[in-house]
Amino acid sequence: MSKPAAPLKGRAARLARLMPSTGPSTAARTPFVLLVVLLLGGGLITLLLLNSALNEGSFRLSELKRDTTELTDEQQALQRDVDGRSQPDALERRARELGMVPGGSPAFLDPDGTVRGNPIEATAPPPSPSPSPTPSPRAPAGAAPDPDATGASGSASPSGSAPAAEPDSVAESDSATAPTAESTPPPTSPGR
């Protein structure tokens, strides 16, 4: 058998105290290193999952912003359509197309049953005369076109201008339609 080792003295004893022994301390260090590696690995995996969730949220956010923009544009287009249809002249035109007529002066009923005002039946105004289509200057109604005719004889002129007799009828049809254009009030925007 071997002799027990003699205790170290002097400088060797001091170095032995500074240097760790190779026995039990190495075995105690292994679980600590494994714990640190597991914590670092778990942290990295958690960061990866968190980053993926943030990217997914970012994609969803950009998709929702795009949808919001499209819906806002659609809402504005619908609002323009509603504004166009609710203008007074558009309402009047649509009402006339449906056969409605403007009402007369209103009459009111008092709480005791008496009538205030003079109720009258609303009647449709006579239709405005539509301008009759003017015959073509080159082919007057009931006459065959004459290529040798001149503008002074009342037939079609070679330049395609209207004969002298027709401007009077055009002026009459313009004067017939002019009062109807002046009788309608100018369009106003609805109050909000």
Side-chain angles (χ1 to χ4, degrees):
M1 303 238 178
S2 69
K3 288 184 184 177
L8 299 174
K9 295 184 181 181
R11 186 172 179 183
R14 282 183 298 201
L15 285 176
R17 278 184 279 166
L18 291 176
M19 297 291 289
S21 63
T22 58
S25 65
T26 305
R29 201 181 284 171
T30 304
F32 177 72
V33 170
L34 288 176
L35 177 67
V36 169
V37 168
L38 287 176
L39 287 176
L40 287 176
L44 287 176
I45 291 174
T46 304
L47 284 175
L48 179 64
L49 292 175
L50 182 63
N51 192 16
S52 298
L54 288 176
N55 283 338
E56 182 180 338
S58 175
F59 287 131
R60 180 75 176 137
L61 180 65
S62 64
E63 180 182 323
L64 289 174
K65 282 183 180 180
R66 182 177 42 85
D67 290 346
T68 301
T69 303
E70 290 174 1
L71 290 174
T72 301
D73 292 345
E74 183 179 351
Q75 186 263 343
Q76 289 174 351
L78 291 172
Q79 186 63 44
R80 280 193 303 269
D81 189 34
V82 167
D83 290 343
R85 290 177 183 246
S86 62
Q87 291 179 351
D89 57 341
L91 287 174
E92 179 185 5
R93 183 181 64 249
R94 286 181 39 227
R96 288 190 190 277
E97 289 172 359
L98 293 173
M100 296 180 174
V101 296
S105 59
F108 300 97
L109 292 176
D110 286 332
D112 60 353
T114 59
V115 178
R116 263 193 305 157
N118 186 13
I120 56 173
E121 182 180 342
T123 57
S128 61
S130 61
S132 61
T134 58
S136 172
R138 295 188 183 239
D146 187 6
D148 296 330
T150 62
S153 66
S155 317
S157 65
S159 66
S161 62
E166 287 187 25
D168 294 335
S169 64
V170 171
E172 290 172 6
S173 67
D174 287 344
S175 64
T177 58
T180 59
E182 292 173 1
S183 64
T184 57
T188 58
S189 62
R192 291 188 184 210

